[in-house]
Structures are given as C-alpha cells and as structure tokens.
Amino acid sequence: MNGEINLPKNIQPENLKIAQLFDRISTDMEIILALNLTFEGEVTANYLGARLKSKCKNITRIARGIPLGGVLDYIDNDTIDDAILNRKSIKEEE
C-alpha cells in the first residue's frame, strides 16, 4: 500500500495504493491488517477495516501487547491495557 493516511501531511487515502490493494482482494480471503501502532496507523487500519467489510470474509489485526523481553516498569498503560484485553488462556486445549 506504500504508507499510511496522514492528514497533517496531506496524505489522503487516494494518495496511497489502496485501489490497487482492493483489486487484489477476493471475498474468500482473510485480510490481516499489520500497521504501525501510531495514530496514523490506527486511522489507516480503521479506514481499511470499514472499506473492506463487504469485500472479504474476515478482517483481523495483528496482536498488540508487551514485547518479548519487555520490562513492565517501562511499558505504558495503553500497551498494558491492550495486553490484558487481548490475553489468551494458557490452559491446554481439550
């Protein structure tokens, strides 16, 4: 896609290669959105998610949380909140 929506820098969706991306998508695909965890990445992911709802069977985002080797003392509250909200069970599958 070559970038992210960035309104202060006047980078609009039409300035990106979103149309070419949509041309490559079929209804039986899963789309995994992997964008930066920045304001611009969130704006772009929300825009793509809204536009893709009717174009493919499943849309997901990569997980967010505490990085491997991260020290809790240095992790911001939003990252800890995301890690807790997106936690997975360690119980063995039955």
Side-chain angles (χ1 to χ4, degrees):
M1 192 177 67
N2 271 0
E4 298 171 330
I5 297 168
N6 189 323
L7 301 177
K9 292 184 178 179
N10 202 29
I11 301 173
Q12 306 288 326
E14 55 271 7
N15 301 121
L16 304 174
K17 296 184 178 182
I18 294 174
Q20 293 91 327
L21 172 69
F22 286 2
D23 289 342
R24 298 174 58 189
I25 295 172
S26 66
T27 55
D28 62 338
M29 289 181 159
E30 174 183 3
I31 303 300
I32 302 171
L33 299 175
L35 289 106
N36 294 321
L37 293 176
T38 60
F39 178 76
E40 292 80 13
E42 292 294 312
V43 168
T44 306
N46 290 335
Y47 175 82
L48 291 172
R51 295 275 318 274
L52 288 169
K53 282 182 183 177
S54 63
K55 297 188 182 299
C56 56
K57 71 175 184 176
N58 197 18
I59 306 165
T60 58
R61 286 212 55 192
I62 58 172
R64 299 181 279 189
I66 301 170
L68 184 62
V71 178
L72 292 178
D73 292 343
Y74 303 109
I75 305 295
D76 63 281
N77 288 339
D78 290 336
T79 301
I80 291 174
D81 288 346
D82 274 340
I84 290 170
L85 287 172
N86 296 300
R87 67 191 183 276
K88 294 180 181 174
S89 175
I90 58 172
K91 184 172 78 172
E92 290 183 348
E93 292 184 18
E94 298 174 24

